[in-house]
Amino acid sequence: MSNIMEYQMFIDGQWTPGLTGERMEVINPATGEVVATVPRGGREDVDRALASARASFESGVWAGKSIEERAQVLINAAMMVVANKERLAYLESLTSGATIRRTTTVDIAEVAGTLLLIAMIVKELPQVEHTFFSPPWVAPMHSFWKREPIGVCAGITPWNFPLILAMYKIAPALAMGNSIVMKPASITPVTTLELAKILTDAGVPPGVINVVTGPGSSMGNYLAGHPEVDKIAFTGSTEVGRQIAHQAADTIKRVTLELGGKSPIIVLDDADMEVAANMCLLGFLFHSGQVCESGTRLFVPRCLQEELVDRMIQKIKKMVIGNQLDMETDMGPIASQEQLNTIIRYVQIGKEEGAELAYGGRRLTEGIYEKGFFFEPTIFINCHNQMTQVREEIFGPVQCVIPYDDVDEAIAMANDSIYGLGGGICSTNVGRAQQLANRLRTGTVWINTWHVLRPDAPFGGYKQSGYGRECCYHSLLAYSEVKHICQDLTPDGSDKLLNLLIGLNR
């Protein structure tokens, strides 16, 4: 038990026990072993965190700082993230199942890069703008508008990319002068707690960033409906996103939702088969398929289905599936027993509905896999767009291959979904690929690659994949209000048009 890490909540710049006194276990999904515990918080803990955030905001201790001062703190934090990269990457992999090879490179770079880029963009974003149009029938006036922080923000993040998705919310919120309360997923709260401490050490004043831990079903809904929350940002399933939107509506909160996906990959008849195989495998096997914009619907010309799938299977057979803390591992475990059960259920549904299993479909249980949550890469072929496992988000390493005979048919099927988060085209013809990309109803379209989320490019979805955008300057707009200030410059009231209109100058 001495090796189990014990965390507290982070409220008002301090490690703080939960008021319930209860604890939650955090496990290593490769072994099932408990590696950490955190407080199982309740509504009173949320109240405490929000009170701290509100007090810090109203005091102006952070909101009152200049853009340059806030940007410098974010830069300091980025340097500290890099300095602590080994610990952060280890904890992220340990608790989420992400491969250590990925977290030490992609995840840490994305977190530090987001901080640095937001610090740079916020200094370039116009904070005050002036009007240049003055109608001749209006008295001389000076109008200008300025960007101001919204107030107290709340961020709710899922378990698949705890570090990155937390920073997508924290960085723009802080850059614009807000205070924030974060509620990470119950099974992966550790690295968000670590980030809060790093940001505080970098110069964020106490109370400006707070992290509460506990069940999402109770604490998340409470945050979404709380009158002290001015803006909420949620990343997770579409089902829960609907609940968040309903809760936020009562107090007309500002809302950003990044939700589920069932992203289509369209391989064209002119595609390079090696490029296509790599793109399709990357699309649904990155982080064991536990990515909201995974490419899980593969549309391929009917005459190329067999060749492409055979090539993909040969590559899968060479992949190393194992402990995520081993640098040789290509694909780690599923994050939890609950998610593993969901994947198993959908694979069974696929079989029952007549999809042909070309590869995989089994939980791995022997040897090193015995105590962990491992599942084979799985490919169904000869699917159609109305099958359950094609329509619904599985969130696992399962891809459904749908043959097509006509490109217009492929585009129509790709867009025939409640989701619109990601999409992709594989082709050797640049112009053709871009034309088809314009026809996909998704927030991001990749051509000959997948999963490239850049902090300098907006990310978000169409349709029931959410609304609003994260990253880039779009995120700064989402964490700020615009105030118009209009000043009459005439010396007296005798010739004010508006006064004359209602007879005030008689």
Side-chain angles (χ1 to χ4, degrees):
M1 295 295 291
S2 59
N3 293 328
I4 297 176
M5 299 172 285
E6 293 188 0
Y7 282 85
Q8 304 295 342
M9 296 187 194
F10 195 82
I11 298 176
D12 201 28
Q14 301 291 329
W15 295 116
T16 307
L19 293 177
T20 67
E22 299 177 6
R23 308 283 294 178
M24 299 189 306
E25 294 179 339
V26 179
I27 68 169
N28 175 354
T31 64
E33 296 175 336
V34 177
V35 294
T37 65
V38 297
R40 180 185 291 274
R43 292 187 171 192
E44 295 81 3
D45 297 300
V46 172
D47 290 337
R48 285 193 301 156
L50 289 173
S52 174
R54 178 61 64 188
S56 70
F57 178 73
E58 297 297 343
S59 73
V61 66
W62 180 248
K65 288 186 180 296
S66 68
I67 290 293
E68 290 72 19
E69 289 174 318
R70 294 201 296 263
Q72 186 57 56
V73 172
L74 298 187
I75 293 170
N76 295 345
M79 298 301 101
M80 293 181 69
V81 166
V82 173
N84 289 274
K85 65 179 181 179
E86 291 184 3
R87 175 174 173 78
L88 288 172
Y90 167 75
L91 292 173
E92 187 83 339
S93 292
L94 180 69
T95 58
S96 74
T99 64
I100 193 73
R101 194 166 74 214
R102 192 203 82 201
T103 57
T104 53
T105 52
V106 174
D107 295 49
I108 298 301
E110 185 78 3
V111 170
T114 298
L115 282 162
L116 291 173
L117 189 80
I118 290 297
M120 178 182 72
I121 294 176
V122 74
K123 290 191 288 187
E124 301 297 325
L125 187 72
Q127 299 299 310
V128 179
E129 298 177 84
H130 299 266
T131 184
F132 60 89
F133 178 63
S134 183
W137 59 87
V138 175
M141 293 187 183
H142 175 213
S143 274
F144 61 98
W145 41 95
K146 55 185 295 191
R147 294 210 163 268
E148 296 184 339
I150 294 175
V152 173
C153 302
I156 302 175
T157 51
W159 42 259
N160 54 344
F161 292 89
L163 275 173
I164 293 174
L165 296 178
M167 193 51 69
Y168 280 1
K169 294 158 182 58
I170 293 170
L174 296 185
M176 295 309 300
N178 300 283
S179 295
I180 190 167
V181 174
M182 293 297 300
K183 213 302 287 183
S186 299
I187 65 173
T188 55
V190 168
T191 48
T192 305
L193 289 163
E194 293 276 353
L195 277 181
K197 182 63 165 60
I198 286 174
L199 285 158
T200 300
D201 290 345
V204 175
V208 174
I209 179 167
N210 306 271
V211 181
V212 293
T213 57
S217 57
S218 57
M219 296 182 76
N221 285 332
Y222 188 57
L223 268 172
H226 204 291
E228 282 297 324
V229 174
D230 302 307
K231 189 262 171 38
I232 189 159
F234 170 78
T235 299
S237 71
T238 295
E239 179 183 2
V240 177
R242 292 190 193 102
Q243 299 173 19
I244 295 292
H246 280 293
Q247 293 280 352
D250 287 340
T251 49
I252 319 296
K253 299 185 193 311
R254 306 297 181 263
V255 180
T256 299
L257 297 176
E258 194 267 282
L259 308 176
K262 197 70 182 178
S263 301
I265 303 175
I266 302 178
V267 175
L268 301 183
D269 55 10
D270 62 14
D272 180 299
M273 284 295 100
E274 182 69 10
V275 173
N278 288 338
M279 176 183 177
C280 296
L281 290 171
L282 175 64
F284 88 103
L285 293 183
F286 188 73
H287 195 25
S288 304
Q290 300 168 115
V291 190
C292 50
E293 29 70 32
S294 284
T296 51
R297 291 187 296 151
L298 169 55
F299 297 93
V300 60
R302 195 175 303 276
C303 62
L304 296 178
Q305 178 181 231
E306 183 176 353
E307 177 186 354
L308 178 58
V309 171
D310 284 348
R311 191 182 290 256
M312 291 167 62
I313 290 172
Q314 293 308 310
K315 289 178 177 289
I316 289 174
K317 290 178 178 178
K318 297 177 183 178
M319 292 179 65
V320 177
I321 303 172
N323 192 303
Q324 73 272 26
L325 299 177
D326 188 336
M327 286 295 287
E328 298 300 314
T329 294
D330 299 313
M331 193 176 101
I334 304 303
S336 68
Q337 180 70 61
E338 181 182 5
Q339 187 57 33
L340 178 64
N341 293 342
T342 297
I343 295 167
I344 293 171
R345 178 171 60 85
Y346 272 109
V347 168
Q348 183 59 35
I349 290 173
K351 294 176 182 178
E352 293 171 355
E353 292 189 354
E356 183 181 340
L357 189 60
Y359 189 85
R362 298 181 302 116
R363 176 182 182 178
L364 301 175
T365 58
E366 298 179 359
I368 63 170
Y369 308 121
E370 181 181 3
K371 296 181 179 180
F373 313 133
F374 293 90
F375 199 85
E376 284 184 307
T378 299
I379 300 176
F380 283 105
I381 61 174
N382 293 319
C383 299
H384 60 77
N385 214 35
Q386 302 309 312
M387 290 178 167
T388 301
Q389 82 275 15
V390 177
R391 306 294 296 179
E392 298 180 10
E393 186 176 36
I394 300 175
F395 227 65
V398 181
Q399 191 173 66
C400 300
V401 183
I402 304 167
Y404 70 88
D405 301 302
D406 176 81
V407 173
D408 289 336
E409 174 195 14
I411 292 289
M413 289 191 293
N415 287 333
D416 180 17
S417 171
I418 66 170
Y419 300 110
L421 192 55
I425 307 289
C426 187
S427 173
T428 55
N429 187 319
V430 174
R432 185 186 183 199
Q434 290 184 358
Q435 288 178 347
L436 293 177
N438 289 331
R439 295 173 63 187
L440 287 177
R441 298 287 297 163
T442 63
T444 298
V445 180
W446 291 282
I447 298 175
N448 297 334
T449 187
W450 206 271
H451 290 307
V452 180
L453 300 183
R454 302 170 46 146
D456 58 345
F459 177 62
Y462 286 24
K463 299 185 277 188
Q464 293 188 40
S465 286
Y467 42 74
R469 293 294 181 267
E470 294 189 307
C471 301
C472 195
Y473 72 88
H474 296 79
S475 63
L476 296 174
L477 303 182
Y479 282 89
S480 60
E481 295 281 19
V482 177
K483 176 183 289 182
H484 170 214
I485 299 175
C486 179
Q487 182 178 10
D488 192 312
L489 300 178
T490 54
D492 57 56
S494 62
D495 60 350
K496 294 183 187 295
L497 175 62
L498 294 178
N499 291 348
L500 290 172
L501 289 177
I502 60 171
L504 298 181
N505 292 343
R506 291 193 182 97

